[in-house]
Amino acid sequence: MSLRVRFAPSPTGNLHVGGARTALFNWLVARQSGGQFILRIDDTDRERSSQEFLESILAAMKWLGLDWDEGPYFQSQRAELYRRDAERLLAEDKAYLCYCLPEELARQREAALKAGRPAVYDGRCRDLTRQDRERLEAGGRQPVVRLKVSRAGETVVRDLIRGGVVFNNEVLDDFIIVKSNGMPAYNFACVVDDALMGITHVIRAEEHLSNTPRQLALYRALGYAEPYFAHVPMILAPDRSKLSKRHGATSVEEYRDQGYLPQALTNYLALLGWSPGTEEEIIPQEELVKRFSLERVSLNPSIYDLGKLTWMNGHYLVTVDLEEITSRALPFFQRQGLVSQNPSPKEVDYLRQVVGLVRDRVKTLVEVVDAATYFFTDDWDYEEKGAGKYFTSEAAELLAQAGERLAGVEPFTAEAAEAAYRQLAEELGVKTPVLFHPTRLALTGRTMGPGLFGIMAVLGREKCLERLSRAAVWIRNAAE
Ligand code: GLU
């Protein structure tokens, strides 16, 4: 039988990095084995679920390249299936209707705690007669459905990461499977769906491990085949607290908008909990598909390290195809108004050259834009410190002469411009930096950046001459 896994987000928020990692692990296992990756939307909480979150989750998954083979299925459209199984359990006397009100349950819990008993439901509605039920319903009470659970013995969860995890059944009680409003509880909908969808491996967050004994009780009561489980470790912030907003970006969307690449986030998230067994850190998606294994997922919490993710992003910025980086960078330039909304092929070609020049000096697409603004606008000032240092009256003269030289360079390439500059320095008897530093400042407004002659070639002759003479004028004005 082929492997079937699922990712089952609730559309009550954006896709968190933890959720993205769960989705990734499922996807890797499916792609590796030629199995199926199913997307299910756990949207039974109608109040907290929204279309907007749903769309944001789907967009984030697509951006990460996590394509699914089936779905999305929506729990909100599967009420009939849950109702059928709940009725079956009732008919087989494996479940019963409970009429206790929330405040009664709270009182029962308090009394149990006082008496030193575990605060579990005491099963008082198990043996209601039909007359009892009719009386309670006539009084306006809406029942919930509870599963009959034996609290004797133990339940062993077979977990592919943790081995057998043993739970004493004392922690269980007759838990609710259908709420008083008729909606299935999480554990129930999850088991019915996982079973009917033929899920063979349930790979999910560690926070659900404690639900698994209840889910196993449901598989057994319903007579469904049990899947394998794998509970992936928690993700903690560097201070070992739960990763949250106050530690910075937590959703895939935010990383995308901050200029991270899906390749980097995928690589980073895979190594957050999984290890290849070597010191390697750069493992692209197609390699991960070959090498990933649940057995090598750690039991320990994973510590989120933004510095490492950013470092990886810098790596992928230079190694991914320039064409792709350019198209990913385009919206960032458009947002700053540096490139038009419908760029011509010529504009895109120019952008490609610019991105090619700056990408090995930065870590994110936002930084690509920062490093490249002067290619698109003249609206900037010279760096003050640099101007004080390099824009001397001697420099004004040198820049004027350099401009004259560049005017005659044919064709106007980086190599030819460099040769002309070196020759000019020699003729004038000055060291090359004396010529190069003010030129860089004149062309870019900055003292640092990519290779000077590469910049010239991309800017083009006209722009270079214009900026050289603008700087010469600026220097003369400043001297007056
Ligand atoms: N909707 C649940 C969640 O997002 C799914 C848990 C599961 O994978 O069983 O936590």
Side-chain angles (χ1 to χ4, degrees):
M1 192 178 64
S2 118
L3 172 143
R4 286 170 66 82
V5 292
R6 73 349 182 237
F7 177 53
S10 300
T12 53
N14 296 321
L15 186 59
H16 185 271
V17 285
R21 186 189 58 172
T22 301
L24 174 64
F25 284 9
N26 276 285
W27 182 89
L28 287 170
V29 165
R31 292 295 167 263
Q32 179 171 72
S33 64
Q36 306 289 302
F37 177 53
I38 290 143
L39 180 60
R40 183 176 79 223
I41 306 299
D42 284 2
D43 58 350
T44 52
D45 185 343
R46 300 310 288 158
E47 252 147 53
R48 290 177 57 232
S49 298
S50 82
Q51 182 67 19
E52 197 185 325
F53 287 135
L54 168 67
E55 279 162 20
S56 141
I57 291 169
L58 299 186
M61 289 186 66
K62 285 183 192 153
W63 181 77
L64 283 169
L66 303 177
D67 55 333
W68 52 92
D69 305 300
E70 280 179 36
Y73 296 111
F74 293 87
Q75 287 195 324
S76 58
Q77 295 168 7
R78 298 168 62 83
E80 185 51 32
L81 299 170
Y82 313 129
R83 199 184 53 77
R84 214 178 54 196
D85 271 345
E87 275 171 10
R88 182 156 65 89
L89 290 174
L90 285 169
E92 292 172 2
D93 202 24
K94 292 173 178 165
Y96 60 92
L97 299 176
C98 162
Y99 294 84
C100 295
L101 295 172
E103 51 274 23
E104 292 169 350
L105 293 170
R107 271 202 303 279
Q108 290 167 30
R109 202 171 312 122
E110 221 168 281
L113 285 175
K114 234 182 229 157
R117 284 181 276 119
V120 295
Y121 180 64
D122 62 9
R124 64 181 59 194
C125 289
R126 265 195 190 206
D127 303 314
L128 294 180
T129 61
R130 180 191 299 192
Q131 287 85 339
D132 293 334
R133 288 203 298 270
E134 280 169 1
R135 183 175 40 81
L136 287 159
E137 274 171 32
R141 293 203 184 199
Q142 294 285 334
V144 300
V145 182
R146 289 184 184 269
L147 186 75
K148 284 189 180 171
V149 179
S150 158
R151 296 181 58 223
E154 344 187 275
T155 300
V156 182
V157 175
R158 290 175 306 161
D159 187 290
L160 294 172
I161 298 170
R162 281 145 221 278
V165 184
V166 182
F167 288 85
N168 187 325
N169 289 345
E170 294 255 332
V171 301
L172 301 178
D173 63 359
D174 292 350
F175 59 91
I176 296 176
I177 60 175
V178 180
K179 300 178 199 169
S180 58
N181 64 5
M183 290 302 255
Y186 156 70
N187 281 314
F188 183 57
C190 178
V191 168
V192 172
D193 281 339
D194 285 343
L196 297 183
M197 292 175 181
I199 301 302
T200 58
H201 295 67
V202 171
I203 304 167
R204 64 183 168 198
E206 181 180 350
E207 61 184 10
H208 289 293
L209 181 58
S210 61
N211 285 320
T212 312
R214 287 187 184 81
Q215 296 191 3
L216 286 172
L218 276 165
Y219 278 100
R220 288 163 195 170
L222 289 161
Y224 288 141
E226 294 164 25
Y228 292 100
F229 291 93
H231 290 92
V232 302
M234 300 213 294
I235 301 179
L236 299 181
D239 64 5
R240 299 193 76 83
S241 65
K242 194 166 179 252
L243 187 68
S244 74
K245 276 264 162 256
R246 74 189 160 86
H247 302 106
T250 50
S251 75
V252 170
E253 217 172 25
E254 286 169 285
Y255 282 102
R256 184 194 62 202
D257 294 346
Q258 291 180 9
Y260 286 82
L261 299 170
Q263 290 89 341
L265 201 55
T266 297
N267 188 157
Y268 179 69
L269 290 178
L271 290 185
L272 198 58
W274 174 76
S275 146
T278 64
E279 295 292 299
E280 284 161 281
E281 305 213 274
I282 297 297
I283 311 180
Q285 197 183 55
E286 59 278 11
E287 272 291 297
L288 289 169
V289 169
K290 290 187 206 134
R291 296 170 60 183
F292 183 80
S293 72
L294 287 172
E295 290 72 27
R296 296 207 62 89
V297 172
S298 165
L299 283 174
N300 302 320
S302 323
I303 308 293
Y304 201 74
D305 179 353
L306 181 60
K308 189 158 158 187
L309 167 60
T310 307
W311 168 80
M312 279 185 184
N313 206 56
H315 169 87
Y316 283 101
L317 265 182
V318 246
T319 51
V320 171
D321 188 50
L322 180 56
E323 200 66 41
E324 181 183 334
I325 298 296
T326 305
S327 61
R328 291 196 186 278
L330 175 63
F332 290 84
F333 280 92
Q334 289 171 321
R335 228 168 283 156
Q336 298 298 319
L338 298 172
V339 175
S340 62
Q341 285 308 315
N342 287 306
S344 65
K346 208 171 139 219
E347 267 183 287
V348 174
D349 186 55
Y350 184 72
L351 179 64
R352 187 184 311 106
Q353 293 181 51
V354 169
V355 172
L357 269 190
V358 302
R359 66 171 168 166
D360 60 348
R361 313 183 57 84
V362 295
K363 297 277 179 277
T364 66
L365 294 171
V366 167
E367 290 178 13
V368 166
V369 179
D370 290 340
T373 39
Y374 57 82
F375 283 103
F376 300 90
T377 169
D378 294 313
D379 189 15
W380 38 263
D381 294 321
Y382 301 114
E383 254 176 47
E384 221 177 290
K385 252 177 119 177
K389 195 162 162 196
Y390 300 125
F391 277 0
T392 59
S393 50
E394 185 203 5
E397 184 51 36
L398 291 175
L399 292 177
Q401 294 207 28
E404 278 168 33
R405 276 305 157 97
L406 289 183
V409 168
E410 203 61 63
F412 193 77
T413 61
E415 297 72 29
E418 179 164 6
Y421 250 70
R422 291 192 184 278
Q423 200 188 335
L424 177 64
E426 207 177 304
E427 288 172 22
L428 296 176
V430 298
K431 292 209 165 84
T432 49
V434 175
L435 203 49
F436 291 4
H437 286 311
T439 300
R440 174 183 294 282
L441 192 60
L443 296 182
T444 68
R446 307 180 189 196
T447 54
M448 304 232 274
L452 181 58
F453 301 102
I455 294 175
M456 286 188 188
V458 173
L459 279 175
R461 187 201 319 267
E462 213 177 310
K463 202 33 101 189
C464 291
L465 296 186
E466 191 186 305
R467 287 188 183 174
L468 288 175
S469 59
R470 180 174 89 161
V473 170
W474 188 93
I475 296 169
R476 290 199 188 105
N477 285 343
E480 272 165 21

